[in-house]
Amino acid sequence: MKSEILQNTIQKLFTKDKGILAADESIKSIDKRFEILGIPQTVENRLAWRRLLIETPDVSNYISGVIFYDETFKQEIEPGKTFAEYCEEKGIIPGIKVDEGLVDFPNFPNEKITQGIDGLRKRFEEYFLLGARFCKWRVVVDVKTSTDDIIELNLRNLAIYASLAQEAGIVPILEPEVLYDGEHDIHECREKMSYVLTHLFGDLAIYRVDIKNVILKTSMVLAGKKSIQKSTPEEIAEETSILLMSTIPENIGGVVFLSGGQTPVESTLNLSNIINKGPYKFPLTYSYSRALQDPVLESFAKDMNNVDGITKIFIDRLQMNTLALKGEYTTDKETGISSTINQVTHSQDL
Ligand code: 13P
């Protein structure tokens, strides 16, 4: 019964040519983005921003699911209707970020573990009743500095989280984000990601997680932002496709990409090129936050009442990514509506 619910969710999330919107920034993370753009950091503005994204006309033609943060999940989008209920009506699956963010770990300077396992079983029961059908847990890995011991600890927690999510009938997205910040080259990136994914799938097997009801959320393979050697789109597609094909079990529910601090155009172009390196044995799509939201948020910051103008930008970005999912995107397809931003905003919880 639970397995059927999980399979049904996976099938809907991977509806052809649709992506998943990550709108699950914690209060601290979204407030940081608001602050940079001069948007007052209030509960009303966070609500208005998420409403605007979800109420964008025809958004359900492009996305199959949305990941929310706890605050949004429990808010009403309109009197008497929660975000989750609204999404269900529109045919969009509501998801919830359940990790409780990153904290330092004693005696491992600058390393982070993800917290939130305590009480998770109970929280899952509650979220299921509130309509959540998938969820996310994010850990971070730095290519140069993360130690195997802390990586292992984080991966084990991902496996525990996945077991508890499946028990509750909620599809777990497992996100071991290998950070784009740093000076590493593309080969070091692939090596670290290969280590992480191999160990992750090893842990999932040990803890008897049902792999067909799991979604992996992964970074792309590319040189760090501060590397002197910038990766070309061809290299990124080549290295990423090799990684996916060599480390991911074929029977996984599916794989989604995060944008990780790449610009919207880079994220879309790289996605399209990676798709063209397929076919893959598992479904593949995107689950971007910044690469979808940054141009839209800049417009929101200028005039949050210009709803038509703001939502047009969002739809344009979604359309570009739909082209990418078909492997048909090239930068000359950009209309200019959503391709320029002043800056890529801050990563979640860093
Ligand atoms: P970005 O697309 O901004 O990397 O965010 C995706 C995400 O869900 C991070 O946890």
Side-chain angles (χ1 to χ4, degrees):
M1 173 64 182
K2 282 284 160 63
S3 180
E4 264 168 45
I5 296 174
L6 297 169
Q7 270 299 292
N8 185 31
T9 301
I10 296 233
Q11 264 162 27
K12 285 188 186 148
L13 284 175
F14 286 98
T15 300
K16 198 170 168 330
D17 299 332
K18 290 191 186 181
I20 298 172
L21 170 66
D24 61 332
E25 303 82 5
S26 64
I27 294 173
K28 194 172 123 204
S29 297
I30 193 72
D31 278 357
K32 223 188 251 180
R33 294 184 190 171
F34 278 5
E35 188 184 3
I36 294 167
L37 294 168
I39 305 165
Q41 301 147 64
T42 62
V43 63
E44 291 79 16
N45 283 344
R46 291 193 293 274
L47 175 65
W49 168 238
R50 267 70 181 253
R51 264 190 74 181
L52 196 141
L53 292 174
I54 303 309
E55 289 182 343
T56 293
D58 299 330
V59 74
S60 60
N61 292 344
Y62 306 98
I63 56 168
S64 56
V66 185
I67 320 172
F68 293 114
Y69 186 66
D70 181 77
E71 179 184 67
T72 319
F73 211 86
K74 291 174 178 165
Q75 276 168 337
E76 292 189 336
I77 192 164
E78 54 191 61
K81 193 174 287 177
T82 63
F83 272 80
E85 286 162 348
Y86 180 88
C87 283
E88 269 163 36
E89 272 178 25
K90 299 274 167 193
I92 298 172
I93 304 186
I96 179 78
K97 170 191 168 85
V98 296
D99 69 73
E100 293 177 336
L102 308 171
V103 285
D104 294 333
F105 196 72
N107 306 323
F108 286 79
N110 302 320
E111 295 214 50
K112 306 270 184 202
I113 58 153
T114 301
Q115 60 183 358
I117 293 288
D118 285 354
L120 190 54
R121 182 176 249 150
K122 189 125 196 57
R123 286 165 60 216
F124 271 138
E125 281 171 16
E126 199 182 307
Y127 282 134
F128 185 87
L129 293 176
L130 291 172
R133 290 296 174 269
F134 71 107
C135 58
K136 186 186 102 174
W137 181 284
R138 171 177 178 256
V139 310
V140 294
V141 175
D142 183 281
V143 172
K144 294 261 199 203
T145 61
S146 288
T147 58
D148 294 354
D149 296 322
I150 295 298
I151 291 173
E152 264 306 317
L153 188 53
N154 272 318
L155 297 183
R156 203 157 304 138
N157 280 340
L158 269 173
I160 296 169
Y161 143 83
S163 300
L164 294 171
Q166 289 183 345
E167 178 190 55
I170 301 179
V171 171
I173 294 185
L174 281 61
E175 183 182 0
E177 177 173 355
V178 175
L179 297 170
Y180 178 30
D181 310 308
E183 295 172 2
H184 52 271
D185 66 29
I186 191 165
H187 304 293
E188 290 170 307
C189 182
R190 172 141 78 92
E191 210 171 294
K192 197 73 166 190
M193 288 185 70
S194 184
Y195 177 91
V196 168
L197 293 183
T198 306
H199 283 77
L200 172 65
F201 291 113
D203 280 352
L204 295 182
I206 291 169
Y207 292 100
R208 303 180 187 175
V209 175
D210 180 4
I211 200 75
K212 69 177 187 308
N213 289 324
V214 153
I215 296 172
L216 172 73
K217 181 160 181 168
T218 180
S219 312
M220 294 175 187
V221 183
L222 72 172
K225 231 176 199 168
K226 294 190 204 130
S227 168
I228 39 173
Q229 279 174 314
K230 208 167 158 38
S231 308
T232 64
E234 291 69 31
E235 285 171 328
I236 295 169
E238 177 72 12
E239 292 286 334
T240 305
S241 65
I242 292 173
L243 177 88
L244 297 184
M245 290 181 187
S246 60
T247 57
I248 299 178
E250 289 176 7
N251 61 338
I252 192 169
V255 176
V256 297
F257 286 107
L258 57 97
S259 61
Q262 303 177 75
T263 64
V265 169
E266 285 165 350
S267 311
T268 310
L269 179 62
N270 290 331
L271 176 66
S272 192
N273 289 341
I274 293 166
I275 295 284
N276 282 325
K277 290 280 178 192
Y280 299 91
K281 303 268 174 141
F282 34 77
L284 195 63
T285 189
Y286 64 86
S287 173
Y288 296 155
S289 160
R290 288 169 287 174
L292 287 177
Q293 293 186 38
D294 275 355
V296 194
L297 189 61
E298 282 191 3
S299 171
F300 180 78
K302 277 184 206 135
D303 177 6
M304 58 176 83
N305 296 316
N306 176 20
V307 174
D308 282 355
I310 302 167
T311 51
K312 235 180 231 154
I313 297 172
F314 187 35
I315 288 291
D316 188 61
R317 203 66 247 135
L318 291 166
Q319 285 174 338
M320 293 299 125
N321 281 292
T322 300
L323 282 178
L325 289 176
K326 296 176 181 164
E328 292 171 4
Y329 173 85
T330 45
T331 50
D332 59 5
K333 299 265 168 49
E334 291 289 348
T335 60
I337 296 177
S338 68
S339 56
T340 50
I341 44 165
N342 290 318
Q343 61 181 317
V344 177
T345 55
H346 239 274
S347 178
Q348 287 190 33
D349 292 330
L350 276 183

